[in-house]
């Protein structure tokens, strides 16, 4: 029987709204608490190099305010490693990061950077942080993630969700098939599998239905829908869509 499918709620874009005006509101810490109250299994926050949404002080404040795990998204840089080691969040998801991108556009290049990444994640694992690598559903990247000892991967679902939003059903179906193959390959290797990026009520089902998937991380769509229905209602509807698919 499939285990509980965890929902990690990414609250970065509450901080995006806060930063648009300066000041303290809306408060991402409050968003994390509301998400926990609404049934989120974890909170995800990405401290980017340019601090465009989450800021350094938010990390400690969020960790103090919640009882569910924090998944700290971070680039594989010395600066971020130092911050992760000082806070020791439950989990760290290593993502590629380019200053000019609007969001995390692709997966991490693991296959071509195995020595460095293996060393990098070793320090985090030694500190008791559960490391995941955010990668495309590419067999070579999945194999490399396993080879360097990552316990968890998160498969990038952005291309699938973008194609769905554009009504390009052929690409949507091809991208979904790639993700489902990647989930199977990773699970066969013994990796814990997470999926995230761009997921909506409409796209979450086929992925949530896969019993090998342990966690979904969802942010932008939930925060956007929360503008209209409130964050607890948006989280409840996503949870219901996930549960319906899994059942
Ligand atoms: N997972 C990872 C690794 C991400 O980088 C992001 C975006 O910050 C997400 C999940 C959530 O994506 P979205 O905000 O599109 O739901």
């Amino acid at each position: 029987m499939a285990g509980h499918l965890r929902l990690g709620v990414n609250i970065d874009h509450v901080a995006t709204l806060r930063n648009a005006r300066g000041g303290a509101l809306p408060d991402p810490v409050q968003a994390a608490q509301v998400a926990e109250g609404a049934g989120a299994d974890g909170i995800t926050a990405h401290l980017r190099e340019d601090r465009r949404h989450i800021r350094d002080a938010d990390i400690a404040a969020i960790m103090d305010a919640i009882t569910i795990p924090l998944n700290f998204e971070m680039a594989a840089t010395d600066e971020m490693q130092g911050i992760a080691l000082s806070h020791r969040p439950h989990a760290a998801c290593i993502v590629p990061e380019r200053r000019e991108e609007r969001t995390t556009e692709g997966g991490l290049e693991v296959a071509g950077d195995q020595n460095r990444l293996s060393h990098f994640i070793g320090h985090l694992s030694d500190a008791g942080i559960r490391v995941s690598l955010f990668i495309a559903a590419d067999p070579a990247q999945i194999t490399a993630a396993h080879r360097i000892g990552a316990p968890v991967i998160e498969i990038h679902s952005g291309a699938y969700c973008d194609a769905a939003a554009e009504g390009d059903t052929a690409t949507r179906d091809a991208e979904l098939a790639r993700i489902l193959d990647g989930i199977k390959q990773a699970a066969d290797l013994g990796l814990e599998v997470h999926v995230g990026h761009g997921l909506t009520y409409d796209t979450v089902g086929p992925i949530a239905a896969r019993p090998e998937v342990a966690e979904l991380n969802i942010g932008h769509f939930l925060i956007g829908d929360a503008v209209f229905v409130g964050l607890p209602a948006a989280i409840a509807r996503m949870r219901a869509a996930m549960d319906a698919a899994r059942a």
Side-chain angles (χ1 to χ4, degrees):
M1 204 187 106
H4 174 70
L5 174 59
R6 296 195 299 271
L7 171 59
V9 174
N10 182 318
I11 45 85
D12 289 349
H13 295 301
V14 176
T16 303
L17 271 183
R18 174 194 63 188
N19 297 357
R21 273 293 170 95
L25 301 174
D27 182 2
V29 176
Q30 186 182 357
Q33 290 174 309
V34 169
E36 177 171 3
D41 300 288
I43 298 298
T44 294
H46 184 178
L47 184 66
R48 292 186 72 103
E49 183 197 8
D50 63 9
R51 310 302 199 264
R52 69 176 68 161
H53 37 59
I54 295 295
R55 297 177 182 144
D56 297 61
D58 294 328
I59 297 298
I62 291 168
M63 287 180 71
D64 282 350
I66 59 176
T67 63
I68 50 178
L70 176 70
N71 174 32
F72 180 61
E73 282 182 14
M74 54 181 272
T77 63
D78 290 345
E79 181 200 18
M80 289 301 152
Q81 188 182 64
I83 293 169
L85 291 175
S86 72
H87 291 295
R88 299 185 182 228
H90 166 80
C93 180
I94 314 302
V95 302
E97 199 173 299
R98 284 183 297 123
R99 197 170 260 275
E100 65 277 16
E101 69 190 357
R102 261 186 297 175
T103 181
T104 312
E105 284 164 5
L108 197 63
E109 174 53 53
V110 184
D113 200 10
Q114 294 183 49
N115 284 344
R116 188 180 78 93
L117 283 174
S118 154
H119 194 67
F120 188 86
I121 70 175
H123 287 297
L124 299 172
S125 298
D126 289 349
I129 301 168
R130 191 156 170 82
V131 178
S132 72
L133 302 179
F134 188 47
I135 58 177
D138 171 344
Q141 301 298 342
I142 295 168
T143 303
H146 176 252
R147 191 178 303 125
I148 68 168
V152 185
I153 62 162
E154 181 164 326
I155 294 180
H156 197 314
S157 49
Y160 156 61
C161 294
D162 286 349
E166 288 158 12
D168 178 350
T169 52
T171 304
R172 178 199 66 192
D173 293 350
E175 291 294 337
L176 177 60
R178 240 160 49 91
I179 292 171
L180 298 182
D181 287 349
I183 291 169
K184 181 168 186 331
Q185 180 194 353
D188 287 348
L189 287 168
L191 292 165
E192 182 175 311
V193 185
H194 302 177
V195 181
H197 213 285
L199 291 168
T200 66
Y201 305 137
D202 292 333
T203 51
V204 78
I207 293 170
R210 293 302 294 255
E212 304 96 327
V213 178
E215 180 174 306
L216 302 177
N217 284 297
I218 309 180
H220 183 267
F221 176 81
L222 283 176
I223 302 305
D225 203 41
V227 171
F228 303 108
V229 304
L231 189 54
I235 290 172
R237 187 165 166 203
M238 187 61 78
R239 180 78 254 170
M242 289 162 57
D243 290 347
R246 186 74 37 133

